[in-house]
Every structure is written in C-alpha cells, then in structure tokens.
Amino acid sequence: MSWTIGYGFKRRSYILYHNSRHFFGTQWAGGVVLLFFVVVAMLLANLPFTAEFYHDLLEAPVGVKVGRFDLHFNVEKFVNDGLMMIFFFSVGLEIKREIVSGHLSTVQKAILPVAGALGGMIMPAIIYTLFNHGTPYAHGWGIPMATDIAFAIAIMSIVGKKVPVGMKVFLTALAVADDLGSILVIAIFYGTTIHFDLLALAALVLVVAWLLNKLKVSGLLVYVCIGVVLWLLFYHSGIHATIAGVLLAMFVPSKPKYNKKYFLNKVRFLMDDFVRKDREVAVTENEEQMADLYRIRHIALDSASLSQRFEHMLSPWVNFFIMPLFALVNAGVPVESLEDLNVLASTQGLGIVFGLWIGKPLGIILMSWLFVKTRLAEMPEGVHWGMFAAVACLGGIGFTMSIFMDTLAFAAQPHFIAEGKIAVLIGSVIAAVTGLIAVHFAHKAAVRRGTGAATDAAM
C-alpha cells in the first residue's frame, strides 16, 4: 500500500515537472505569466485588505551603500530604472541577432516589417496628438506607439494554425523593429536635463567595449562590469538609464571564437582521447578524463557567441521574473469607482485607446500596403490582405513598453500615470479581442474561397 502511494506521488511529481518544463519552454508562456501578474497587481491594489500593503511595498526602500557610494531607490524605481536595464539589454541582443542573421538581416527581409513598424508608430502618435494637442496630456504621444511581443505571441498561439507562418514571422520582426523605434523615442524625447560630461564618459566606456569586441574578448563578467558602469553614467546623465542596456548589447561579440568545423574536429579528438584514457575507476577519479571533459566544455562555450550565451542565460529571467515583476509593480492601479474605468472621459484615455486599437493596425496596414504596391517590398508568402489586416490588429497590444513610456512621459505629473495605465490595459485588451475575432473571420473567408491562405492581390 505504502509503495503504491509512494509510486503514485512520484509519478504525479514527474508529470507535473515534465508539464511545467513544457509550459515554460513554449513561446507564449511569457505572455500567460505576464497576464497572471497583471491580474494579481490589480487585485492587490484594489482589495481592501491588500491595498495598503501593496502601496507600502512599492515605496519600500532599496539601495546599495559602499563607503561614500550611496545609491537608493524605492521598489518601483528599482524595477523601472534598474531591472528594466536587463530587459532592454535582452531586447538589444534580440535586435542585434535579427539584424546580423535573422528577419532583419537583409533589405529584402527587413523592409516590410520595418515599414509596418514605422507606420505603426507614426499613426498612433498622430491620433494621440489630435486628441491631446494643447492639453496637459500632450507629452504622452509616445505611449500608444509600441507592440508587446510577449502578449502578441500568446494571443497568436490561441488561434494556432489559422495564422500563416509568414504572418507570425512578420509580426515578430515588426515587434523587434518597433522596440528599436520605441527605444529611440525614449532616448531622445523622454529624458530630463542632459549632462553631456557624463554622456562623454559613457561614450568612452562604449569605445572600450568596442575595442574589447574587436580584440575578441568574450569574458561574460567583463561585459557585466561594463554594463554596471554604463548604467550608472546614464542614470545620472539625464537620458533614461535603461538605454545603457541596448547600447551595450550592440557591442557584445556576436561571433563565436570557434566555428562549427573546428568544434566537431576538436570534440571528436577529445572524445577519442577520453576513451583511450579510460580506467577501471569512476570518471571523477580519473584526472586525465576530467581534463578532457573540461576542455570539451570550454570549446562548447566558445563555439557559441557571447551574445547568444547572454541571450540564452537571460531569457528565462527576463520572461519569468523581470517582466512579471514589472507587471506586478506597474499594473496595480487603484480603481475607486467605475468612473475610473471610463477612459473615454478624458482626451488622454481617448488618445491611448484609439491610438492602440485603431492607430497601430491602420498605420501598419497603410505603410505596408504602400511599400507592397510600389514594389519596394513583398507580401509574406501565403498571406492575403484580409489576414494581414487581422494580424495587424494584434499590433495594438502595447502593454509593457506603453506602460513604461506612460511612467516616463508623466514623471512630473504622477496623477496622470494611473489614468494612462488603465487606458493602456483597456486599449490592449480591446486590440487583442479585435485581433482574435478578425483572424477568425479572415480564416473563414479564406476557407470559403477555397484558397486557404492564398495571396489576395486585390485591395
């Protein structure tokens, strides 16, 4: 009996472990976890027995003091100004990867998603400005410009094979280009008083990083130290500190020390050597074999670029710790009455909601259509304009970067930040629902025509 219970418990534990590994290994898991923490944050901020605790948690002091060096934040600022640098560093690595060898590596591959991203940034900014020109909300024009790729991929996973592979690739590449545009907007328009002496020092640090790259220095700790120095300089320079992460990512080596041929030959040689040195003892007691294993490990590490190693190492931390923590800290908006949810009562809410819901897809579609019709770009293979427009609606999901821009745009007017966050959440939900419905009907229309996902040239 006890054996049966023990076996059953172990089997359930194994199944739970296996399923959890499968879940966290999927592309859409980050979006699901992010959504969960958005809900948790809203509950904590609004339940009567947790609201005070939540507010106190955000204001709790966090800091570092070493001798005369003293750096202090509250939890909210630590997440938004500190941990988000790691997020932006990860985004920078992704952008670099796509430019070097991915969806943005050639003009032919990059031109359509870059054009779509540009249109998807300009149109929401115009719509927001039309609502808010001359009002105290005018500085928030950048809020509805960004697409949240984690949520967009999570939503696309719901519809499964209804979305052609070409559109999934397009939306992913568009989101990467969109992130780059948003980063430039933050760096140029959402800083404070600029201290050019500190920026000059930051530029010198980047030159050092460039030289280390050219000298093929690939020590992980070296670039971590450079990142800390760079972050401190940017933090006090007046340009938002998270930009340091993106800039550093551009100088992290993207070429491995050893190529594939060298790796295969060297590992074969070491494996043969490992077999020759075999003794009737455990490997841990055979120093010669242990030396071979360590050499194989080092060669394997140096056969992947430092940027790949950084990206692989940081991905779970960013997706399942930093981003959920960002949501927990920033999505908890107190709602004192139903009137607070009426985002259409203010021009700020109107600009954000219509910027995300209407402006993003409209800008993506119009700019992409213009480039396709002028033959500067080609439609993704197997995609018709109806499906293209449907997926473009998902571009209006703007959670992470939009909320981040909201906190930067109204840093001097904090009473506007909560309204902006509510508008971002509502606008993103509306965009997600619209996208799901549009994809469903676009797929049905393609099936009815008997073309599946054939390209529809007429528009």
Side-chain angles (χ1 to χ4, degrees), residues 220-241:
L220 191 144
L221 189 59
V222 172
Y223 288 90
V224 170
C225 292
I226 290 174
V228 172
V229 173
L230 206 58
W231 178 84
L232 285 168
L233 290 170
F234 270 91
Y235 180 75
H236 294 287
S237 72
I239 292 180
H240 201 272

Side-chain angles (χ1 to χ4, degrees), residues 405-455:
M405 283 200 186
D406 179 56
T407 61
L408 297 179
F410 300 120
Q413 301 152 305
H415 52 290
F416 292 160
I417 293 176
E419 294 178 35
K421 287 179 181 178
I422 292 174
V424 168
L425 292 172
I426 292 176
S428 297
V429 169
I430 294 173
V433 172
T434 302
L436 281 172
I437 294 171
V439 166
H440 173 73
F441 282 104
H443 177 71
K444 282 187 71 173
V447 171
R448 250 195 330 268
R449 288 198 304 270
T451 58
T455 304

Side-chain angles (χ1 to χ4, degrees), residues 396-413:
I397 304 171
F399 176 76
T400 306
M401 202 71 82
S402 293
I403 285 183
F404 190 65
M405 283 200 186
D406 179 56
T407 61
L408 297 179
F410 300 120
Q413 301 152 305

Side-chain angles (χ1 to χ4, degrees), residues 20-37 87 90 150 312-327:
S20 64
R21 283 196 65 184
H22 174 73
F23 169 76
F24 287 111
T26 59
Q27 279 189 311
W28 45 268
V32 174
V33 173
L34 202 58
L35 180 60
F36 172 78
F37 276 89
F87 165 75
S90 178
H312 179 74
M313 180 181 68
L314 291 176
S315 180
W317 287 98
V318 169
N319 292 331
F320 303 115
F321 177 70
I322 293 174
M323 295 309 300
L325 191 58
F326 174 84

